[in-house]
Amino acid sequence: MTSHANPSSLLGSSVKTLSAVLPAGTTIHAWLKAARAGTLAELRARQAGRQIGRITAHNSEEFEFQALVLEAGGETTLAYDAAATAVSIVYAFSNDDVLEKGIHVLYGGEQNAAPAVPGSYHFRPPFGWMNDPNGFGRFADKVHLFYQHYPHSLRWNTMHWGHAVSDDYLHWRHLPIFLLPSAELSARADGRGGAFSGSAIPLAGEEPGIRVFFTEQVKDRLPEEQIQLTAVTGDQISAGPAEIILPARPAGLDLTMDFRDPYVLRGPDGRWKMLLGSRDHAGGVILLYETADPDAAGGWIFVGILHRENRFGMTAAECPCIVPLDGSADDPQTRWALIFGLLTSRDPATGRRNITIATVGRFDGRNFVKEFEQELDFGTDAYAFQAFVDKSAPVGIAWLANWTEISKKIDFPTAMTLPRSVLFKDGALLTPPIEATESLRQQLLDESRLLSGETVTLGNGAVEMIIDLAAAGATFDLEFDHPDVELGLRLDPEGLSILYDVPDGKWLPRYIAAGARPSTLRIFLDKGSIEVFADNGRWTGTKRLPGFEGVRSARLSAPAGNVATARIWQLKL
């Protein structure tokens, strides 16, 4: 597809046009709304001066989704009268090759435009708001990432599911929006709910289909705000109609209205299991369901509370996932990692909010016996972590943000973390970046100046720094020059800290892995983020940075002999 997709006015009129050369069979997805109540929004498609189709919408409150399929190919013009019609998004794709080529965005408005981040290597949506990863998994020969999405602005609102696909976890192709809210919710722009988080499993049979599970939220709906649904896609692109599988919370547990984020996996006993996050009046709980249905389409039965976390008060457990670590799922000796976020939690020692906990223990399909637990990320900006077993080892990804920074008054474009392996070694859970991240290294920028204490400029700020210490826990300070925040990394007798301060006088949490004594550190800087992996991810810290300017320079200071080597790589997709 080729296009001239910038809207242009026609000689002083309010008519705007989008032009693209599109092949026969192209599908166009568009979201329109009437400029004012009682009027009709309309987008007309023309080829060779002849109208070949049109898309209309009556709603003036929220953008309406419509689709159009082109029977013939060629130069195609889409026209609308901006005085009567507001357009949010228009994109085109062919079902035959969209998994290989992705969608072709013809138009996106200023209100939902993705930030300009040339050189960035983190996943971001092509437009709109994004939060939790959903349905992260390999289906057929490709890795799929679904995600919480509001396409029409850069702020949270009525939830959709976005969708992307990759061959290597790093290079992503954007696909059509996968799940839309119910018709009732789609007609409003008041953030009352939508298609909330969930997971996905492969469909049995020869066709490479996918079954997804998700929470439908409708605020103030009685008796249940949150219920669980499932839908199927046979082409990996479009979802079929959703069906309710869990219409109510389990009775008798004194649960709050929290009942969400179904994570489905094949259990050690061969049955499908479902984890759900909730809370009671003591703290967060993770609920366990199971079914004997080979397709996981129904027959779900409540087994019991799999795990509870009461240390942070009445906080909701959400976005749970569980993966085997050091053996096959059906081996009773295999350890499992049960990972979940604690919404509204606050660590009294540091002030950090919305902690993510990783518990490690044995799981027989009905009971989880904890051996130990640790925080997943001491920077806390790796939230809603979701993992799956890809071939022989778990891989996970998280939302690179934290709900404490969300405001209804400011836009909040964000990203996903680097994909991470999930490993068990020497009695600890490790979450290093996947091996494929080494392919991002394009040029060795420095291997001597940082070590000697010089200030090293970092180009566009998309870099990886590797620091090897002479001994475990050897102290150092790494100072970064960032245009919007005071930023650094410190290792001292207290532990490993991301030093982060915004010059507005507000008290901020301490981002520290208390007691950490690493020997090696990998530090990934990108526009909008820092990710620190110490001792192969034994201690991992992620922090979202405001704005989209890169870190400009770095300077290392340490007692003589503490740092053995220090290298900086320029990164690029």
Side-chain angles (χ1 to χ4, degrees):
M1 300 175 185
T2 59
S3 69
H4 309 286
N6 294 325
S8 57
S9 294
L10 295 180
L11 299 176
S13 75
S14 59
V15 174
K16 297 182 180 296
T17 61
L18 317 170
S19 296
V21 177
L22 304 173
T26 293
T27 298
I28 295 173
H29 284 180
W31 279 260
L32 319 173
K33 70 177 177 181
R36 55 190 179 277
T39 62
L40 177 70
E42 185 177 47
L43 181 70
R44 294 176 179 266
R46 303 179 68 86
Q47 288 179 346
R50 181 176 63 89
Q51 182 174 315
I52 59 170
R54 69 175 190 149
I55 293 171
T56 62
H58 292 84
N59 192 12
S60 61
E61 181 177 344
E62 179 61 298
F63 292 99
E64 290 184 36
F65 166 71
Q66 299 290 346
L68 175 67
V69 178
L70 302 182
E71 295 183 2
E75 180 77 24
T76 304
T77 298
L78 305 174
Y80 65 98
D81 183 351
T85 300
V87 179
S88 174
I89 307 155
V90 183
Y91 60 73
F93 64 94
S94 169
N95 280 340
D96 293 338
D97 61 12
V98 68
L99 289 171
E100 303 301 332
K101 296 183 178 180
I103 61 172
H104 184 56
V105 178
L106 301 175
Y107 176 75
E110 292 183 5
Q111 75 280 359
N112 59 354
V117 281
S120 176
Y121 52 89
H122 283 79
F123 175 85
R124 290 185 174 87
F127 40 73
W129 160 278
M130 177 183 73
N131 57 289
D132 306 354
N134 302 150
F136 185 46
R138 183 180 294 278
F139 304 100
D141 60 342
K142 290 179 173 54
V143 177
H144 288 248
L145 173 63
F146 303 91
Y147 54 90
Q148 290 284 272
H149 187 38
Y150 181 67
H152 308 308
S153 80
L154 299 179
R155 303 180 193 178
W156 185 94
N157 207 304
T158 307
M159 284 290 94
H160 303 53
W161 271 29
H163 190 193
V165 69
S166 176
D167 299 314
D168 62 0
Y169 291 102
L170 299 174
H171 300 81
W172 294 93
R173 297 179 292 281
H174 299 296
L175 299 185
I177 291 175
F178 185 76
L179 282 179
L180 300 176
S182 66
E184 172 199 355
L185 293 171
S186 293
R188 303 165 65 110
D190 55 6
R192 295 180 62 242
F196 275 34
S197 294
S199 58
I201 61 172
L203 284 177
E206 296 181 3
E207 295 297 323
I210 303 172
R211 177 178 293 280
V212 300
F213 303 85
F214 64 99
T215 297
E216 182 191 66
Q217 153 106 2
V218 179
K219 187 176 181 180
D220 299 326
R221 177 174 59 186
L222 295 175
E224 301 291 340
E225 286 191 357
Q226 299 178 350
I227 61 176
Q228 314 314 315
L229 284 74
T230 187
V232 164
T233 173
D235 60 7
Q236 304 186 33
I237 302 167
S238 56
E243 299 178 355
I244 298 172
I245 52 173
L246 291 178
R249 295 161 291 167
L253 296 181
D254 194 29
L255 299 177
T256 64
M257 299 292 276
D258 301 278
F259 181 55
R260 58 180 175 272
D261 310 334
Y263 178 85
V264 177
L265 75 156
R266 184 79 72 176
D269 56 6
R271 290 191 171 194
W272 289 108
K273 312 290 177 177
M274 180 190 294
L275 276 57
L276 285 154
S278 186
R279 66 175 138 180
D280 59 19
H281 292 285
V285 295
I286 297 173
L287 310 174
L288 176 65
Y289 286 75
E290 69 176 14
T291 182
D293 183 341
D295 298 321
W300 289 97
I301 298 170
F302 178 58
V303 176
I305 293 177
L306 187 69
H307 185 75
R308 74 163 47 246
E309 176 54 73
N310 294 346
R311 288 178 302 160
F312 297 96
M314 191 182 155
T315 59
E318 62 177 11
C319 303
C321 74
I322 188 169
V323 288
L325 293 175
D326 57 353
S328 62
D330 57 0
D331 184 345
Q333 299 305 310
T334 294
R335 289 180 176 86
W336 294 69
L338 173 62
I339 301 169
F340 53 93
L342 288 171
L343 186 66
T344 72
S345 59
R346 181 182 183 275
D347 175 23
T350 63
R352 293 169 305 134
R353 303 294 302 272
N354 301 312
I355 306 297
T356 297
I357 298 292
T359 59
V360 175
R362 314 283 184 178
F363 177 54
D364 64 6
R366 298 179 70 85
N367 301 283
F368 180 79
V369 180
K370 182 179 73 174
E371 295 184 0
F372 69 90
E373 69 180 18
Q374 65 187 61
E375 279 191 41
L376 188 75
D377 191 292
F378 70 88
T380 70
D381 283 6
Y383 197 71
F385 188 86
Q386 188 168 101
F388 75 101
V389 176
D390 188 5
K391 299 175 183 177
S392 61
V395 178
I397 200 168
W399 180 41
L400 209 163
N402 191 297
W403 288 108
T404 58
E405 295 183 347
I406 305 304
S407 168
K408 294 181 179 180
K409 298 180 180 179
I410 61 171
D411 293 337
F412 194 84
T414 186
M416 294 296 179
T417 65
L418 284 173
R420 301 170 181 184
S421 298
V422 185
L423 310 172
F424 177 77
K425 185 177 181 181
D426 298 332
L429 189 71
L430 281 58
T431 54
I434 60 170
E435 291 184 7
T437 55
E438 294 185 12
S439 69
L440 298 174
R441 298 173 185 169
Q442 299 297 305
Q443 179 185 357
L444 184 62
L445 291 181
D446 174 63
E447 57 181 340
S448 61
R449 288 175 293 141
L450 190 69
L451 185 62
S452 66
E454 295 181 40
T455 297
V456 180
T457 57
L458 301 180
N460 69 356
V463 300
E464 177 188 0
M465 311 176 76
I466 304 172
I467 296 176
D468 295 314
L469 303 177
T475 61
F476 69 86
D477 267 284
L478 185 58
E479 181 182 353
F480 299 113
D481 177 20
H482 186 279
D484 298 307
V485 296
E486 296 177 18
L487 183 67
L489 187 68
R490 173 179 295 164
L491 182 60
D492 62 19
E494 288 190 74
L496 178 64
S497 300
I498 295 175
L499 306 176
Y500 177 85
D501 195 13
V502 179
D504 60 5
K506 291 183 179 179
W507 184 88
L508 293 172
R510 291 185 66 204
Y511 300 102
I512 183 170
R517 290 175 52 82
S519 298
T520 301
L521 299 101
R522 295 176 68 187
I523 303 138
F524 288 83
L525 296 170
D526 198 0
K527 296 174 181 178
S529 66
I530 178 173
E531 293 173 272
V532 180
F533 301 92
D535 280 5
N536 200 35
R538 168 60 184 88
W539 297 279
T540 298
T542 305
K543 188 73 192 78
R544 179 187 179 270
L545 306 178
F548 291 96
E549 296 294 325
V551 172
R552 294 177 289 209
S553 66
R555 182 177 180 273
L556 178 67
S557 59
N562 275 19
V563 180
T565 63
R567 291 162 288 162
I568 305 176
W569 289 87
Q570 176 72 60
L571 303 185
K572 185 179 180 182
L573 278 174

